[in-house]
């Protein structure tokens, strides 16, 4: 089983827009087209609640609250238990599913996502759960950097944030230059 792929489904869910059923359907990749076809309106509320709870896990991890991240993941593992089974159509495509036959789309997807994030936490620690440092973004990510130093969900957010900081420093420097002559004039003795 590819636990990283399952963990990334958790990231995808937290970062997804879930305004309506079409948004939920957009969450499923092409290799999970059956989920896209079978998802129902009742699943939308389940996904929204799980999305909020998984965001909490990332926020706990980012702020060093490991115990709370573990507590929330354990509660989610109870709500969406993993029941592995082998599936396939012939001996050339056997693969694992994380839920029993007949599970709902939400049960199948969320069991995998929660299991993947739980394995990720056990393997790498909750400090590897990140929330984008660009205040305009808020997306979550899994920090795969070699020294646990990632701060942004993407290069785009990192660049945007760095450019904004650079421009702010430049404006501040220009503002400082404009105030220096005015201060210097007030210090010049009047004859």
């Amino acid at each position: 089983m590819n636990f990283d792929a399952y963990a990334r489904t958790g990231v995808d869910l937290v970062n997804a827009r879930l305004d309506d059923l079409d948004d939920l359907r957009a969450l499923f990749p092409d290799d999970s087209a059956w989920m896209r076809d079978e998802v129902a309106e009742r699943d939308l509320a389940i996904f929204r609640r799980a999305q909020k709870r998984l965001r909490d896990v990332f926020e706990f991890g980012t702020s060093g609250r490991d115990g709370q991240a573990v507590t929330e993941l354990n509660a989610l593992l109870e709500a969406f238990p993993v029941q592995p089974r082998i599936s396939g159509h012939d001996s050339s495509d056997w693969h694992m599913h994380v839920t029993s036959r007949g599970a709902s789309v939400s049960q199948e997807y969320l069991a995998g996502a929660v299991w993947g994030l739980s394995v990720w936490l056990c393997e790498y620690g909750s400090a590897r759960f990140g929330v984008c440092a660009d205040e305009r973004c808020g997306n979550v990510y899994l920090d795969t950097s070699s020294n646990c130093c990632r701060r942004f969900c993407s290069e785009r957010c990192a660049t945007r944030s760095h450019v904004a900081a650079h421009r702010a420093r430049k404006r501040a420097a220009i503002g400082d230059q404009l105030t220096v002559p005015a201060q210097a004039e007030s210090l010049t003795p009047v004859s």
Side-chain angles (χ1 to χ4, degrees):
M1 291 180 80
N2 184 348
F3 295 114
D4 285 353
Y6 279 117
R8 289 184 203 298
T9 63
V11 170
D12 293 343
L13 172 58
V14 174
N15 293 336
R17 183 181 181 139
L18 294 179
D19 292 336
D20 56 31
L21 196 53
D22 287 335
D23 287 342
L24 180 55
R25 285 186 177 117
L27 177 65
F28 305 112
D30 288 339
D31 63 345
S32 296
W34 71 271
M35 288 183 169
R36 191 172 34 236
D37 295 341
E38 291 184 23
V39 73
E41 193 69 39
R42 69 180 179 280
D43 292 308
L44 187 56
I46 295 168
F47 272 89
R48 284 178 180 153
R49 283 191 302 274
Q51 181 185 51
K52 191 225 174 291
R53 292 178 74 183
L54 288 174
R55 175 168 290 284
D56 290 345
V57 168
F58 278 86
E59 290 176 4
F60 294 148
T62 300
S63 62
R65 295 180 285 170
D66 293 0
Q68 288 174 289
V70 168
T71 298
E72 187 61 30
L73 280 172
N74 278 333
L76 286 163
L77 284 168
E78 287 180 33
F80 304 102
V82 175
Q83 300 172 337
R85 68 179 168 90
I86 299 171
S87 184
H89 303 290
D90 60 45
S91 61
S92 66
D93 78 338
W94 296 123
H95 57 279
M96 295 296 295
H97 278 260
V98 294
T99 58
S100 61
R101 184 178 304 278
S104 68
V105 171
S106 55
Q107 288 291 324
E108 177 90 17
Y109 187 96
L110 295 170
V114 171
W115 178 253
L117 290 172
S118 298
V119 170
W120 182 274
L121 182 138
C122 292
E123 184 76 19
Y124 304 109
S126 70
R128 295 288 182 154
F129 289 10
V131 178
C132 189
D134 184 343
E135 57 196 38
R136 294 165 289 186
C137 177
N139 280 346
V140 302
Y141 60 89
L142 296 170
D143 186 350
T144 57
S145 66
S146 60
N147 57 358
C148 195
C149 65
R150 187 170 166 188
R151 295 181 40 237
F152 299 95
C153 69
S154 65
E155 285 296 320
R156 179 177 175 243
C157 280
T159 300
R160 183 175 57 199
S161 185
H162 292 127
V163 167
H166 171 75
R167 288 179 179 161
R169 285 190 305 273
K170 201 170 183 179
R171 279 191 304 274
I174 290 170
D176 288 346
Q177 289 174 354
L178 294 176
T179 58
V180 169
Q183 291 172 351
E185 286 175 17
S186 66
L187 299 175
T188 307
V190 179
S191 359

